[in-house]
Amino acid sequence: MLDLKLFRKEREKVIKALARRHVDVDFNTLFALEERLRAELSELEKMRREMNGASAEIGRLVREKKDASYAKVAMKQLSTNIDVVEASVKDFKARFSEAALVIPNIPDESVPDGESEADNKVVRTWGEPPVFDFEPKTHVELGETLGILDFKRAAKMSGARFVLYRGTGARLERSLISFMLNVHTAGGYEEVLPPFMVNRKSMTGTGQLPKFEEDLFKVEGGDYYLIPTAEVPITNIYADEIIDDVQKLPVRMCAYTPCFRREAGSYGKDTAGIIRQHQFNKVELVKLAKPEDSTAELESLTADAESILQKLDLPYRVVELCAGDLGFAAAKTYDIEVWIPSQKKYREISSCSSFTDFQARRAGIRFKRDKKAKPELVHTLNGSGLAIGRTVVAILENFQRADGSVSIPEPLRRYMNDREFL
């Protein structure tokens, strides 16, 4: 959620900054609601002062043993009027909050202009895509031939966009989770294992609600949602809290969780294989940082995610998203894209973002520079470290061999009973 003081003090600057996103923002409704809310609050404050004056006047009349009945009737009417205005204030606050919660974050000034992913900027590449002396297979072909990916039985029990890992395929998935967590915890991240269901407040805090409700799986009969990413529960660990020791910042946390997404609006995209699933596993990195450190922390978080691909010897590139391609809550984002031989292109495997104070304002996450200081909002950051299924895709396709087998990256072999091939 944006700092609403900016709308009052630097309205044109905010409008110009959000115009870079090339999305429709209903500023007129927001500003009209804000003006009406401020007018109602002013009227309520005036009436409460009158109420205090009337109460004092009744007290004086009673002490002087004078007739206070007229004053009491007037005070009762004033109390009724206050109830009406308070209800109106409550209504306008709700409507204003609803309008404000769907306004995206302001892009960082360093983010390049652009309307879509076609305008994103390649920052760097690492490694060389493999050159095969045979026709490479897709991960679907490899997985089914090796007997490690079973799409038909997954569809039988759950439907489209699910996969059943079997044998060494399941072992590979588990090995990647352990490997990534071990790397990140050795790098200073605290491992956490959060709930896989959260409430509406938590989803609102990180920006999934109210705008993206159609993308979420809601638990029927309760105020619970299956998490679309570990970003939601991990960030909300500190919701409505004040970190009273600035030395604790940055807070670095990582977690493995399954993720659940409806993939609304993605019909027809990546329908084959495990690129885009309703359920998938991911290791997530989350940071809470001081505002002045968030730029550097985004660079280091991105490097931490990259380190996994480097250790696995998977070729990739880092892309800086233009303003028009930024996610709703992000102020700046780097996408890490791994090479997929069958598609002859790079595909996203991690998205590393700084949200500045956007999420912290919604979730109420603050810190103090010292015990006497006024609380400030932290800056939140997160990124995949990495998406497990897409890492499996990259391993199968980049390390396939002419005989249909797949070389297991050396760092994973100790997790797989020293196997060298699938």
Side-chain angles (χ1 to χ4, degrees), residues 357-370:
D357 60 9
F358 188 84
Q359 291 180 327
R361 181 172 287 104
R362 295 165 75 110
I365 308 172
R366 297 176 292 170
F367 76 101
K368 282 187 174 183
R369 295 185 185 272
D370 58 59

Side-chain angles (χ1 to χ4, degrees), residues 204-308:
T204 303
T206 46
Q208 279 73 23
L209 289 177
K211 191 172 179 62
F212 302 107
E213 185 146 10
E214 67 173 2
D215 291 322
L216 305 172
F217 284 104
K218 190 177 192 300
V219 179
E220 186 176 353
D223 185 35
Y224 292 107
Y225 294 82
L226 298 180
I227 62 171
T229 167
E231 164 198 346
V232 180
I234 303 177
T235 304
N236 278 283
I237 289 173
Y238 288 91
D240 298 319
E241 292 188 20
I242 298 174
I243 300 172
D244 58 7
D245 183 359
V246 73
Q247 300 303 319
K248 294 179 181 178
L249 296 177
V251 174
R252 299 182 177 95
M253 296 172 285
C254 67
Y256 148 72
T257 67
C259 304
F260 306 90
R261 300 182 186 179
R262 288 189 181 277
E263 293 294 347
S266 67
Y267 299 105
K269 299 178 181 178
D270 300 311
T271 53
I274 55 177
I275 292 288
R276 197 182 298 274
Q277 299 270 287
H278 287 310
Q279 175 187 321
F280 60 95
N281 294 317
K282 187 153 64 84
V283 169
E284 189 78 358
L285 307 175
V286 173
K287 291 184 178 183
L288 308 179
K290 291 180 289 186
E292 64 268 25
D293 294 338
S294 64
T295 298
E297 291 296 339
L298 175 60
E299 299 296 330
S300 66
L301 184 146
T302 305
D304 292 336
E306 289 180 67
S307 72
I308 300 296

